[in-house]
Amino acid sequence: PRPAAFSGAECMAAGLVSAMLGAKVMFVCERNLETYFQHNVRLFRRDALDYTKTKGKTLLVTSCSPGRTQNFDGGLLSEKLQAPSLDMIVMTEASVSRVVGDLGGITGGRRGEAAGFFRMLGDLVPPHSSSKILVVCDQSAVDIMEEPRFKGDKAERTETASISLSSWSLPEDVPPGLAAVLPSDWQGRTFCQLPQ
């Protein structure tokens, strides 16, 4: 079974689906939601039918809060799941800001400090690991889509975003805003784009 971590309430359903497919699952949530997460895990263990015959037995919950993020460490999460490293990590920018503090999203937000977000990701993934991270960019999607240097009016910005879209829609390409902040030792690509 593959070990996976899911951060925040937005990723609860994804974690339960992964557990149904046999993954070892660690939920990382805000401290005030820990009881609700544990309740959902108990319901899953007790009431979810095993249609796939691969239902995972390992579902754990740990909590964090800004300033107290020692549980949001890849080594510790892997150890609790009894795995060498996490195979997959799923999170939203909003859940990360509630669990570990406001890092400004993947692009650093208004502060432009993307390094903080990637430092946090570096704590989750050991060097030279094949771990995959899915970050739902629910705070900085517009910043990722646009050229970071472009500051035109709204009409020009819309046109540029649509021109840029065709240039990075291939899997090996990275959107311009993400390319501007992605550390050189990281690989990234877009998975899909949903309208807001």
Side-chain angles (χ1 to χ4, degrees):
R2 295 185 165 201
F6 296 84
S7 173
E10 298 89 347
C11 299
M12 181 79 190
L16 293 175
V17 168
S18 295
M20 183 57 79
L21 296 173
K24 292 181 172 184
V25 173
M26 171 65 75
F27 291 106
V28 182
C29 64
E30 304 95 303
R31 290 191 190 284
N32 62 334
L33 296 179
E34 186 174 17
T35 305
Y36 300 106
F37 269 78
Q38 290 172 342
H39 178 71
N40 281 309
V41 166
R42 278 193 301 277
L43 286 175
F44 175 82
R45 285 184 177 141
R46 186 183 70 210
D47 297 336
L49 296 175
D50 191 4
Y51 295 109
T52 61
K53 303 295 184 223
T54 58
K55 183 176 169 184
K57 307 261 187 274
T58 307
L59 285 97
L60 303 172
V61 177
T62 189
S63 64
C64 292
S65 62
R68 299 178 135 195
T69 60
Q70 65 273 12
N71 289 340
F72 207 56
D73 175 76
L76 183 63
L77 296 175
S78 299
E79 185 179 310
K80 287 181 179 182
L81 288 172
Q82 298 174 347
S85 67
L86 296 169
D87 185 58
M88 181 175 61
I89 302 162
V90 180
M91 62 182 67
T92 67
E93 289 174 320
S95 67
V96 168
S97 68
R98 290 190 307 271
V99 171
V100 298
D102 186 14
L103 300 173
I106 204 164
T107 61
R110 286 183 220 117
R111 298 180 308 227
E113 299 169 357
F117 198 87
F118 286 99
R119 245 191 325 273
M120 178 270 305
L121 293 179
D123 291 341
L124 288 172
V125 179
H128 310 293
S129 169
S130 62
S131 299
K132 291 155 282 308
I133 303 172
L134 175 63
V135 179
V136 178
C137 299
D138 53 354
Q139 292 177 336
S140 62
V142 172
D143 296 332
I144 289 170
M145 293 293 297
E146 294 179 351
E147 293 284 347
R149 65 186 180 281
F150 186 75
K151 300 289 183 204
D153 65 35
K154 191 171 186 167
E156 291 177 52
R157 196 175 313 139
T158 304
E159 182 181 327
T160 302
S162 65
I163 291 168
S164 299
L165 180 60
S166 62
S167 68
W168 60 261
S169 58
L170 297 172
E172 63 269 15
D173 289 350
V174 177
L178 182 57
V181 297
L182 192 66
S184 61
D185 55 340
W186 283 81
Q187 295 177 355
R189 70 180 184 105
T190 56
F191 182 68
C192 67
Q193 179 186 357
L194 302 173
Q196 290 190 355

